[in-house]
Amino acid sequence: MIGGLLDRSDSRVERIVPPSGFTASLTVLSAAAMAFLAVFIGAISMSASRVADDWGAALGDKATIRLSAPAETLQDQIDAVMTIAAQTPGVVGARQLTEDEQRALLAPWFGTDAALEGLRLPVLFDLTLEGDGPDIEGLRRRLQGEAPGAVYDDHARWRLPMVRAADRMSSVAGVSLVLIAAIGAAMVALAASASLSANRQIIGVLRLVGAKDVFITRIFVRRFTLRTIGGAVTGSIAGMIVVVLMPGGGGFIDLRFAGAGWLWPALVPLAGGGISYMATRYAAFRRLKELS
Amino acid sequence: MIGGLLDRSDSRVERIVPPSGFTASLTVLSAAAMAFLAVFIGAISMSASRVADDWGAALGDKATIRLSAPAETLQDQIDAVMTIAAQTPGVVGARQLTEDEQRALLAPWFGTDAALEGLRLPVLFDLTLEGDGPDIEGLRRRLQGEAPGAVYDDHARWRLPMVRAADRMSSVAGVSLVLIAAIGAAMVALAASASLSANRQIIGVLRLVGAKDVFITRIFVRRFTLRTIGGAVTGSIAGMIVVVLMPGGGGFIDLRFAGAGWLWPALVPLAGGGISYMATRYAAFRRLKELS
Amino acid sequence: MVEFDSVSVRFGDRALFDGVSLSLPAGSFHFVTGPSGAGKTTLLKLCYLEMAPEAGEVQLFGKETERLGRDEVADMRRKIGVVHQDCRFVDHLSVSENVLLPATATGVDIRDVDDNMSQLLAWVGLSRHRDRRPPELSGGEKQRAALARAVILSPDLILADEPTGNVDWEMSLKILDLLVELNKSGKTVICATHDLSLIRQAKTRAPARVLRIRERGIELSGADL
Amino acid sequence: MVEFDSVSVRFGDRALFDGVSLSLPAGSFHFVTGPSGAGKTTLLKLCYLEMAPEAGEVQLFGKETERLGRDEVADMRRKIGVVHQDCRFVDHLSVSENVLLPATATGVDIRDVDDNMSQLLAWVGLSRHRDRRPPELSGGEKQRAALARAVILSPDLILADEPTGNVDWEMSLKILDLLVELNKSGKTVICATHDLSLIRQAKTRAPARVLRIRERGIELSGADL
Ligand SMILES: Nc1ncnc2c1ncn2[C@@H]1O[C@H](COP(=O)(O)OP(=O)(O)OP(=O)(O)O)[C@@H](O)[C@H]1O
Ligand SMILES: Nc1ncnc2c1ncn2[C@@H]1O[C@H](COP(=O)(O)OP(=O)(O)OP(=O)(O)O)[C@@H](O)[C@H]1O
Ligand SMILES: [Mg+2]
Ligand SMILES: [Mg+2]
């Protein structure tokens, strides 16, 4: 395939089918639009899956137990919490926060210089989770029985739907990419078919003088593949520029490529060329069969 | 225009130009893709501008002053803060939070039953802002001079870039809509031109027997406009379905239409028809001039 | 009806006509003859405004044609019936639809010309073929269909470019008869042909005159041939 | 070379050929004649495989043609030169490019046939027009260009459909001479024409035979006409 496309074109052969400016522009424009979309939606997909990963990781990783208890039962309850945490599957670590850490957490409210000594702060435990985390209902029941002043907080109440959303967004974007590829293929195939139809008289003449299908097909395939690649390169560059210029701001908005993501805009025209090659070949052979 | 399109078509006239399946499918497909995008990106634009408005309003509306001071100067500093707030342009109201309100704010940390009585909490003031809010630097300097324990917090530190991002997102989406309309118009015009070119022999025959430009143009314009509307309706419906099925989750992700936004998917095919009518007419008259 | 005033046509460096003046009155019957490539088709193209002369003036129906817009050209063509040398049809329409095309394209009510069409198709021997598409016709059948289309709206001026190029002698005479009949009913007829025996036949039936294309000019031959 | 074995062709309810058998040996020269619509073009189409018979067999170059794939048909066509009745060209290519098309389409090196082309174009009087595009040619010039294209690769079988339909008598004789010459160099020639005087002329120059298409059949006429 690559060889065939990169061959120094035989201009005498190329000239046989007229360049038909409008179908050509239409193909280039469609390819550019599809490549632009592919780059853009690829960026969305990558960013959404990044967000889902990050938040999902944070979410699966950490939980807090907050314990407020009268002084007389406090140490018992602290011990109970540590025991429960150690025995609960899905929890791999539990650590009581130091006073300094708690003070840092409260700084926004009391200022750093506030005297917290006089205050009976709740005790905070930082849990490290693994996998899907603990069985939350079971854990809560056990805490209620053995350390009634303890409250389990898995940070997930508000984040879970967003992680799910990011995940779904990422799959919607992935499906969209497949759709874009399919629509792009359909567009190129239709444009090539329209071109073959418009040139059926020339094809008739070529057949009259003994041209074979491969000869005719090659002209169209070569032409449409090159046009698609040209359009896709333009569209990819435009898409890349827009993505780079997109506002940052974290979360769902930060579409900018990261790491290997930068390869994506380069991959799109290549994929476009491949899709176009297949689509045009298929369309050409089909049409030629019909025209015979 | 509408009249011309809805006329019961004269099948004898319609038949003169062959229906050319491939250009037709290509036009319908392009129109559908463009309408889909228009609906989708319209939803993004509306959602982003909704977010920007909401957050922008919240951001411009509220600020907090937090005062921690030794008991002996506390009342002086409270008075100073209230005076400064009243004198600062851009601040339209200042209110000291009640103890209950403060307790509610601290509940996540201490539980609702925690005894806050023994604790010297900082005093919180809720400011209502107007317009662009106060001159922050000036306000901070004045607070430092007259109530050194007071800290101004305008909540904006982390939200401002997001609001800006949402705003930019909304304008990017708006520009994209214009681009989509332009690309759609170009696609229809190119498809119509390609169709006119492919049918130049028929046009030659029509001219030979005395057909005028309007006669020829009408066939193509009617056909392409109807095709575009057909494609756009399909694309809009698809876009609407996808948008409705999109994950919610608030913020940038909630693309679902609200209120008058539901009109958007209905508007898109109408606009598509209008664009197609203009684009095809323009293309047809231009091509006919060239072909003469 | 058709008037040329010092008309010049050149293709590249070759002058085909150089200052040709002609005046073909309404109701006349002219043959155009000359060797292949002499300019017969070009002469007819000048008459139906497919082509404009490089210099000089062409007048049709008493009107100057030089600065006509596309719509005015269309108006004029409605009064001209043309049999193109390579019979141009709309290939996916049936023969009868093609023959009716001048009516369809100019908004004439089909019912007014339907009888006319049936008669015409019978005349040129294509009644059986009326629902065929042109590519399914033989060469001669196409020429006859083109002739039927040219005269369907009974135009004032009939231009026929080799209408007998692909038909046998018998059919040639039949076509000639049709042209003669049209001429007798008052139409102006100009017919290009390279077939001298056809012209000889014509002279026995109508006062036809011959325009012979010579080096850069056109010469009106008399009755002798 | 060309063999028909009880070939039948019907269009709709009309049988054009009904069990026709023929055998045209290599090196022979045949005219096909008959009134317009008799089936001359159809006969030639059967010979270059544009059409398959409804019943019966067509053999070309000693090979059965019924179940040939598209590529095999292409291979066979390379050995056949066709002058189509309505001269099909690639309109945006120059005349010389069109004449060279059989070489281009089959991968023959252009340099090997370039001289041949120049000679041929001179022969048919189109040297001046070699860089023109076909729509800029006159009817007769197109036919001559089509003839040049048909013989450029010196095919074994030459099929000419009314090659003199649009040219004057002098040029007709010139084209006839070319066909006779090709036949003398061993090519098989089949030429459809409705021009009986051309056939009479041909008989004075070569042992041409005549296939006359009659009601549903083909009849080989002898020397008399
Ligand atoms: N558009 C054009 N551009 C260049 N040359 C042209 C064009 N049209 C015609 N010619 C040339 O002008 C000459 C006259 O052409 P025309 O078609 O009028 O001849 P004709 O008398 O009709 O010949 P024939 O009997 O073969 O049809 C020819 O040599 C042709 O090649
Ligand atoms: N594809 C087709 N479908 C239907 N009928 C056809 C088709 N091709 C040819 N015919 C009919 O078959 C008959 C023979 O056609 P053909 O073209 O062989 O005639 P011809 O002898 O070449 O006539 P001419 O001298 O006018 O060219 C004609 O009546 C024609 O209408
Ligand atoms: Mg001519
Ligand atoms: Mg024929």
Side-chain angles (χ1 to χ4, degrees), chain A residues 90-112:
Chain A
V91 177
V92 291
R95 194 176 61 80
Q96 188 180 344
L97 257 59
T98 64
E99 228 163 65
D100 282 348
E101 286 171 322
Q102 281 190 309
R103 201 171 302 180
L105 281 170
L106 291 172
W109 295 106
F110 304 96
T112 42

PDB file of all heavy atoms in Angstrom, chain A residues 90-112:
ATOM      1  N   GLY A  90      -9.826  -5.011  52.936  1.00  0.00           N
ATOM      2  CA  GLY A  90      -9.946  -3.827  52.078  1.00  0.00           C
ATOM      3  C   GLY A  90      -9.279  -2.624  52.707  1.00  0.00           C
ATOM      4  O   GLY A  90      -9.019  -1.637  52.037  1.00  0.00           O
ATOM      5  N   VAL A  91      -8.978  -2.721  54.004  1.00  0.00           N
ATOM      6  CA  VAL A  91      -8.243  -1.623  54.651  1.00  0.00           C
ATOM      7  C   VAL A  91      -6.828  -2.121  54.912  1.00  0.00           C
ATOM      8  O   VAL A  91      -6.646  -3.132  55.559  1.00  0.00           O
ATOM      9  CB  VAL A  91      -8.911  -1.226  55.994  1.00  0.00           C
ATOM     10  CG1 VAL A  91      -8.098  -0.137  56.678  1.00  0.00           C
ATOM     11  CG2 VAL A  91     -10.341  -0.778  55.749  1.00  0.00           C
ATOM     12  N   VAL A  92      -5.843  -1.449  54.336  1.00  0.00           N
ATOM     13  CA  VAL A  92      -4.476  -1.960  54.484  1.00  0.00           C
ATOM     14  C   VAL A  92      -3.658  -1.167  55.489  1.00  0.00           C
ATOM     15  O   VAL A  92      -2.553  -1.551  55.825  1.00  0.00           O
ATOM     16  CB  VAL A  92      -3.727  -1.984  53.136  1.00  0.00           C
ATOM     17  CG1 VAL A  92      -4.317  -3.030  52.226  1.00  0.00           C
ATOM     18  CG2 VAL A  92      -3.742  -0.613  52.485  1.00  0.00           C
ATOM     19  N   GLY A  93      -4.230  -0.034  55.934  1.00  0.00           N
ATOM     20  CA  GLY A  93      -3.456   0.709  56.923  1.00  0.00           C
ATOM     21  C   GLY A  93      -4.347   1.684  57.668  1.00  0.00           C
ATOM     22  O   GLY A  93      -5.345   2.168  57.125  1.00  0.00           O
ATOM     23  N   ALA A  94      -4.032   1.959  58.911  1.00  0.00           N
ATOM     24  CA  ALA A  94      -4.781   2.954  59.661  1.00  0.00           C
ATOM     25  C   ALA A  94      -3.790   3.703  60.525  1.00  0.00           C
ATOM     26  O   ALA A  94      -2.865   3.110  61.090  1.00  0.00           O
ATOM     27  CB  ALA A  94      -5.838   2.272  60.530  1.00  0.00           C
ATOM     28  N   ARG A  95      -3.962   5.023  60.564  1.00  0.00           N
ATOM     29  CA  ARG A  95      -2.990   5.827  61.284  1.00  0.00           C
ATOM     30  C   ARG A  95      -3.741   6.962  61.949  1.00  0.00           C
ATOM     31  O   ARG A  95      -4.581   7.604  61.314  1.00  0.00           O
ATOM     32  CB  ARG A  95      -1.995   6.396  60.261  1.00  0.00           C
ATOM     33  CG  ARG A  95      -0.737   6.987  60.840  1.00  0.00           C
ATOM     34  CD  ARG A  95       0.199   7.411  59.703  1.00  0.00           C
ATOM     35  NE  ARG A  95      -0.450   8.430  58.866  1.00  0.00           N
ATOM     36  CZ  ARG A  95      -0.522   9.720  59.200  1.00  0.00           C
ATOM     37  NH1 ARG A  95       0.029  10.149  60.318  1.00  0.00           N
ATOM     38  NH2 ARG A  95      -1.124  10.574  58.424  1.00  0.00           N
ATOM     39  N   GLN A  96      -3.435   7.152  63.211  1.00  0.00           N
ATOM     40  CA  GLN A  96      -4.066   8.283  63.904  1.00  0.00           C
ATOM     41  C   GLN A  96      -3.331   9.550  63.515  1.00  0.00           C
ATOM     42  O   GLN A  96      -2.098   9.571  63.460  1.00  0.00           O
ATOM     43  CB  GLN A  96      -3.973   8.048  65.400  1.00  0.00           C
ATOM     44  CG  GLN A  96      -4.757   9.068  66.193  1.00  0.00           C
ATOM     45  CD  GLN A  96      -4.633   8.808  67.690  1.00  0.00           C
ATOM     46  OE1 GLN A  96      -4.212   7.712  68.105  1.00  0.00           O
ATOM     47  NE2 GLN A  96      -4.986   9.794  68.500  1.00  0.00           N
ATOM     48  N   LEU A  97      -4.086  10.604  63.167  1.00  0.00           N
ATOM     49  CA  LEU A  97      -3.429  11.849  62.787  1.00  0.00           C
ATOM     50  C   LEU A  97      -2.785  12.494  64.005  1.00  0.00           C
ATOM     51  O   LEU A  97      -3.338  12.439  65.113  1.00  0.00           O
ATOM     52  CB  LEU A  97      -4.445  12.829  62.184  1.00  0.00           C
ATOM     53  CG  LEU A  97      -4.400  12.936  60.662  1.00  0.00           C
ATOM     54  CD1 LEU A  97      -4.669  11.587  60.033  1.00  0.00           C
ATOM     55  CD2 LEU A  97      -5.390  13.990  60.177  1.00  0.00           C
ATOM     56  N   THR A  98      -1.620  13.112  63.805  1.00  0.00           N
ATOM     57  CA  THR A  98      -0.979  13.815  64.919  1.00  0.00           C
ATOM     58  C   THR A  98      -1.706  15.137  65.115  1.00  0.00           C
ATOM     59  O   THR A  98      -2.473  15.590  64.269  1.00  0.00           O
ATOM     60  CB  THR A  98       0.499  14.114  64.588  1.00  0.00           C
ATOM     61  OG1 THR A  98       0.511  15.014  63.482  1.00  0.00           O
ATOM     62  CG2 THR A  98       1.242  12.848  64.224  1.00  0.00           C
ATOM     63  N   GLU A  99      -1.405  15.762  66.232  1.00  0.00           N
ATOM     64  CA  GLU A  99      -2.059  17.028  66.527  1.00  0.00           C
ATOM     65  C   GLU A  99      -1.690  18.096  65.500  1.00  0.00           C
ATOM     66  O   GLU A  99      -2.515  18.904  65.100  1.00  0.00           O
ATOM     67  CB  GLU A  99      -1.675  17.498  67.923  1.00  0.00           C
ATOM     68  CG  GLU A  99      -2.890  17.918  68.738  1.00  0.00           C
ATOM     69  CD  GLU A  99      -2.557  17.969  70.210  1.00  0.00           C
ATOM     70  OE1 GLU A  99      -1.726  18.816  70.582  1.00  0.00           O
ATOM     71  OE2 GLU A  99      -3.105  17.138  70.968  1.00  0.00           O
ATOM     72  N   ASP A 100      -0.436  18.073  65.066  1.00  0.00           N
ATOM     73  CA  ASP A 100       0.005  19.068  64.074  1.00  0.00           C
ATOM     74  C   ASP A 100      -0.800  18.940  62.788  1.00  0.00           C
ATOM     75  O   ASP A 100      -1.226  19.927  62.192  1.00  0.00           O
ATOM     76  CB  ASP A 100       1.496  18.878  63.738  1.00  0.00           C
ATOM     77  CG  ASP A 100       2.390  19.453  64.841  1.00  0.00           C
ATOM     78  OD1 ASP A 100       1.829  20.180  65.698  1.00  0.00           O
ATOM     79  OD2 ASP A 100       3.594  19.175  64.824  1.00  0.00           O
ATOM     80  N   GLU A 101      -0.991  17.693  62.377  1.00  0.00           N
ATOM     81  CA  GLU A 101      -1.746  17.474  61.150  1.00  0.00           C
ATOM     82  C   GLU A 101      -3.165  17.984  61.299  1.00  0.00           C
ATOM     83  O   GLU A 101      -3.713  18.632  60.415  1.00  0.00           O
ATOM     84  CB  GLU A 101      -1.766  15.986  60.788  1.00  0.00           C
ATOM     85  CG  GLU A 101      -0.427  15.494  60.236  1.00  0.00           C
ATOM     86  CD  GLU A 101      -0.389  13.982  60.093  1.00  0.00           C
ATOM     87  OE1 GLU A 101      -0.949  13.271  60.964  1.00  0.00           O
ATOM     88  OE2 GLU A 101       0.186  13.517  59.093  1.00  0.00           O
ATOM     89  N   GLN A 102      -3.764  17.715  62.451  1.00  0.00           N
ATOM     90  CA  GLN A 102      -5.131  18.174  62.670  1.00  0.00           C
ATOM     91  C   GLN A 102      -5.186  19.685  62.684  1.00  0.00           C
ATOM     92  O   GLN A 102      -6.093  20.290  62.109  1.00  0.00           O
ATOM     93  CB  GLN A 102      -5.656  17.623  63.995  1.00  0.00           C
ATOM     94  CG  GLN A 102      -6.092  16.180  63.855  1.00  0.00           C
ATOM     95  CD  GLN A 102      -6.828  15.703  65.068  1.00  0.00           C
ATOM     96  OE1 GLN A 102      -6.335  15.855  66.191  1.00  0.00           O
ATOM     97  NE2 GLN A 102      -7.982  15.118  64.870  1.00  0.00           N
ATOM     98  N   ARG A 103      -4.170  20.289  63.285  1.00  0.00           N
ATOM     99  CA  ARG A 103      -4.144  21.740  63.340  1.00  0.00           C
ATOM    100  C   ARG A 103      -4.072  22.319  61.917  1.00  0.00           C
ATOM    101  O   ARG A 103      -4.734  23.290  61.578  1.00  0.00           O
ATOM    102  CB  ARG A 103      -2.931  22.190  64.159  1.00  0.00           C
ATOM    103  CG  ARG A 103      -3.103  23.602  64.693  1.00  0.00           C
ATOM    104  CD  ARG A 103      -2.009  23.943  65.657  1.00  0.00           C
ATOM    105  NE  ARG A 103      -1.972  22.995  66.782  1.00  0.00           N
ATOM    106  CZ  ARG A 103      -1.081  23.080  67.770  1.00  0.00           C
ATOM    107  NH1 ARG A 103      -0.164  24.024  67.788  1.00  0.00           N
ATOM    108  NH2 ARG A 103      -1.109  22.198  68.762  1.00  0.00           N
ATOM    109  N   ALA A 104      -3.276  21.684  61.073  1.00  0.00           N
ATOM    110  CA  ALA A 104      -3.151  22.171  59.693  1.00  0.00           C
ATOM    111  C   ALA A 104      -4.504  22.091  58.982  1.00  0.00           C
ATOM    112  O   ALA A 104      -4.884  23.004  58.244  1.00  0.00           O
ATOM    113  CB  ALA A 104      -2.113  21.336  58.916  1.00  0.00           C
ATOM    114  N   LEU A 105      -5.236  21.026  59.250  1.00  0.00           N
ATOM    115  CA  LEU A 105      -6.535  20.878  58.618  1.00  0.00           C
ATOM    116  C   LEU A 105      -7.506  21.964  59.075  1.00  0.00           C
ATOM    117  O   LEU A 105      -8.379  22.388  58.335  1.00  0.00           O
ATOM    118  CB  LEU A 105      -7.134  19.502  58.954  1.00  0.00           C
ATOM    119  CG  LEU A 105      -6.568  18.337  58.141  1.00  0.00           C
ATOM    120  CD1 LEU A 105      -7.053  17.016  58.743  1.00  0.00           C
ATOM    121  CD2 LEU A 105      -6.977  18.456  56.699  1.00  0.00           C
ATOM    122  N   LEU A 106      -7.329  22.397  60.328  1.00  0.00           N
ATOM    123  CA  LEU A 106      -8.273  23.369  60.859  1.00  0.00           C
ATOM    124  C   LEU A 106      -7.847  24.814  60.622  1.00  0.00           C
ATOM    125  O   LEU A 106      -8.632  25.741  60.871  1.00  0.00           O
ATOM    126  CB  LEU A 106      -8.449  23.140  62.373  1.00  0.00           C
ATOM    127  CG  LEU A 106      -9.178  21.839  62.696  1.00  0.00           C
ATOM    128  CD1 LEU A 106      -9.152  21.587  64.200  1.00  0.00           C
ATOM    129  CD2 LEU A 106     -10.615  21.913  62.197  1.00  0.00           C
ATOM    130  N   ALA A 107      -6.635  25.010  60.109  1.00  0.00           N
ATOM    131  CA  ALA A 107      -6.103  26.359  59.936  1.00  0.00           C
ATOM    132  C   ALA A 107      -7.052  27.315  59.219  1.00  0.00           C
ATOM    133  O   ALA A 107      -7.198  28.468  59.637  1.00  0.00           O
ATOM    134  CB  ALA A 107      -4.752  26.304  59.219  1.00  0.00           C
ATOM    135  N   PRO A 108      -7.703  26.877  58.172  1.00  0.00           N
ATOM    136  CA  PRO A 108      -8.600  27.828  57.494  1.00  0.00           C
ATOM    137  C   PRO A 108      -9.648  28.401  58.412  1.00  0.00           C
ATOM    138  O   PRO A 108     -10.176  29.479  58.149  1.00  0.00           O
ATOM    139  CB  PRO A 108      -9.230  26.989  56.392  1.00  0.00           C
ATOM    140  CG  PRO A 108      -8.320  25.834  56.198  1.00  0.00           C
ATOM    141  CD  PRO A 108      -7.683  25.569  57.512  1.00  0.00           C
ATOM    142  N   TRP A 109      -9.991  27.676  59.418  1.00  0.00           N
ATOM    143  CA  TRP A 109     -11.071  28.141  60.307  1.00  0.00           C
ATOM    144  C   TRP A 109     -10.589  28.940  61.492  1.00  0.00           C
ATOM    145  O   TRP A 109     -11.234  29.896  61.909  1.00  0.00           O
ATOM    146  CB  TRP A 109     -11.885  26.941  60.803  1.00  0.00           C
ATOM    147  CG  TRP A 109     -12.582  26.299  59.650  1.00  0.00           C
ATOM    148  CD1 TRP A 109     -12.250  25.139  59.056  1.00  0.00           C
ATOM    149  CD2 TRP A 109     -13.666  26.839  58.935  1.00  0.00           C
ATOM    150  NE1 TRP A 109     -13.050  24.890  57.998  1.00  0.00           N
ATOM    151  CE2 TRP A 109     -13.958  25.932  57.903  1.00  0.00           C
ATOM    152  CE3 TRP A 109     -14.430  28.000  59.059  1.00  0.00           C
ATOM    153  CZ2 TRP A 109     -14.970  26.142  56.995  1.00  0.00           C
ATOM    154  CZ3 TRP A 109     -15.439  28.198  58.175  1.00  0.00           C
ATOM    155  CH2 TRP A 109     -15.711  27.283  57.138  1.00  0.00           C
ATOM    156  N   PHE A 110      -9.494  28.509  62.052  1.00  0.00           N
ATOM    157  CA  PHE A 110      -9.088  29.137  63.304  1.00  0.00           C
ATOM    158  C   PHE A 110      -7.827  29.955  63.165  1.00  0.00           C
ATOM    159  O   PHE A 110      -7.365  30.561  64.101  1.00  0.00           O
ATOM    160  CB  PHE A 110      -8.876  28.063  64.380  1.00  0.00           C
ATOM    161  CG  PHE A 110     -10.090  27.218  64.577  1.00  0.00           C
ATOM    162  CD1 PHE A 110     -10.237  25.996  63.953  1.00  0.00           C
ATOM    163  CD2 PHE A 110     -11.125  27.684  65.404  1.00  0.00           C
ATOM    164  CE1 PHE A 110     -11.366  25.238  64.130  1.00  0.00           C
ATOM    165  CE2 PHE A 110     -12.255  26.922  65.577  1.00  0.00           C
ATOM    166  CZ  PHE A 110     -12.391  25.700  64.943  1.00  0.00           C
ATOM    167  N   GLY A 111      -7.260  29.974  61.962  1.00  0.00           N
ATOM    168  CA  GLY A 111      -5.957  30.635  61.825  1.00  0.00           C
ATOM    169  C   GLY A 111      -4.894  29.730  62.409  1.00  0.00           C
ATOM    170  O   GLY A 111      -5.171  28.843  63.214  1.00  0.00           O
ATOM    171  N   THR A 112      -3.648  29.926  61.973  1.00  0.00           N
ATOM    172  CA  THR A 112      -2.572  29.036  62.434  1.00  0.00           C
ATOM    173  C   THR A 112      -2.199  29.312  63.872  1.00  0.00           C
ATOM    174  O   THR A 112      -1.666  28.448  64.561  1.00  0.00           O
ATOM    175  CB  THR A 112      -1.321  29.195  61.566  1.00  0.00           C
ATOM    176  OG1 THR A 112      -1.144  30.578  61.319  1.00  0.00           O
ATOM    177  CG2 THR A 112      -1.461  28.424  60.265  1.00  0.00           C
TER     178      THR A 112
END
